[in-house]
Amino acid sequence: MSRLDSFIRRMTAQRDILNHICENVKDMEGPVIELGLGNGRTYDHLRERFPERRIIAFDRALGAHKSSTPPPENLIIGEIRETAQRFIGIDAALVHADIGTGYDEKDAVTLTWLPDLAVALLAPGGIIASGLELQHSVLEQLPLPASVKPGRYFLYRRIV
Ligand SMILES: C[S@@+](CC[C@H](N)C(=O)[O-])C[C@H]1O[C@@H](n2cnc3c(N)ncnc32)[C@H](O)[C@@H]1O
């Protein structure tokens, strides 16, 4: 599969998954956490889906389109592993983590801290949508929408 096809499928999976979990997230209180603001496309999608919700976006540098740049109080710049520490216990309804690189060795380092951090940001019952597979004792894997090939994106609920 060409990288273009792979990119299109990843974007489609992100959109379908974020749409799929909307109703669950709407039923919960708590902010939405966007780990990896990037260009701001998924941030913009989340903002459209959850217009009343606080969405806090993290990235090591601001690279978002001007129209998709969060207000300063909801934009956290720096290494997520460090900057997110002060948000632990915020009881987020949703954590969306799109910080995979496509390089196994780099993603393996991220996976040494991301599952614990994502759980610590999330309320019990909250949802994680992640481009990287997460393993954690309090996460149960949720079924993906039919349009998303298993392994392309991952969906979890914090059970306790
Ligand atoms: C694939 S992009 C996110 C794209 C975004 N979902 C969108 O729709 O535009 C991943 C982003 O995560 C950021 N990132 C990855 N690992 C990070 C880390 N450990 N700390 C801070 N930012 C990180 C990168 O700088 C990059 O901008």
Side-chain angles (χ1 to χ4, degrees):
M1 186 194 304
S2 74
R3 287 186 56 219
L4 177 61
D5 282 331
S6 175
F7 178 76
I8 290 167
R9 286 180 195 196
R10 195 166 69 84
M11 296 298 102
T12 305
Q14 282 182 332
R15 182 204 55 201
D16 291 356
I17 281 188
L18 295 179
N19 289 345
H20 176 73
I21 57 175
C22 261
E23 292 313 311
N24 283 11
V25 173
K26 279 182 183 158
D27 286 344
M28 289 191 65
E29 291 186 1
V32 170
I33 302 287
E34 172 80 325
L35 299 180
L37 175 66
N39 181 279
R41 290 188 193 97
T42 49
Y43 167 77
D44 191 45
H45 198 73
L46 289 166
R47 188 171 56 171
E48 196 179 276
R49 291 291 179 277
F50 306 109
E52 309 299 327
R53 199 72 67 121
R54 183 180 183 197
I55 304 176
I56 311 169
F58 295 74
D59 208 300
R60 56 170 62 99
L62 178 58
H65 189 272
K66 199 174 167 195
S67 66
S68 302
T69 298
E73 66 275 18
N74 291 335
L75 174 61
I76 313 298
I77 297 296
E79 285 299 310
I80 289 168
R81 186 180 184 179
E82 284 134 36
T83 57
Q85 295 298 322
R86 71 182 164 99
F87 295 89
I88 282 176
I90 196 168
D91 282 346
L94 170 66
V95 172
H96 174 229
D98 183 19
I99 58 173
T101 62
Y103 293 97
D104 289 347
E105 39 328 328
K106 287 187 183 172
D107 292 344
V109 174
T110 300
L111 286 171
T112 62
W113 53 265
L114 180 60
D116 279 343
L117 178 64
V119 165
L121 293 170
L122 205 64
I127 305 279
I128 300 178
S130 172
L132 294 175
E133 183 173 12
L134 307 181
Q135 290 184 348
H136 195 286
S137 58
V138 304
L139 294 181
E140 71 170 358
Q141 198 153 3
L142 297 176
L144 297 167
S147 58
V148 179
K149 193 178 161 205
R152 189 168 293 285
Y153 230 73
F154 301 89
L155 207 48
Y156 305 94
R157 175 182 285 118
R158 178 177 160 177
I159 49 178
V160 283

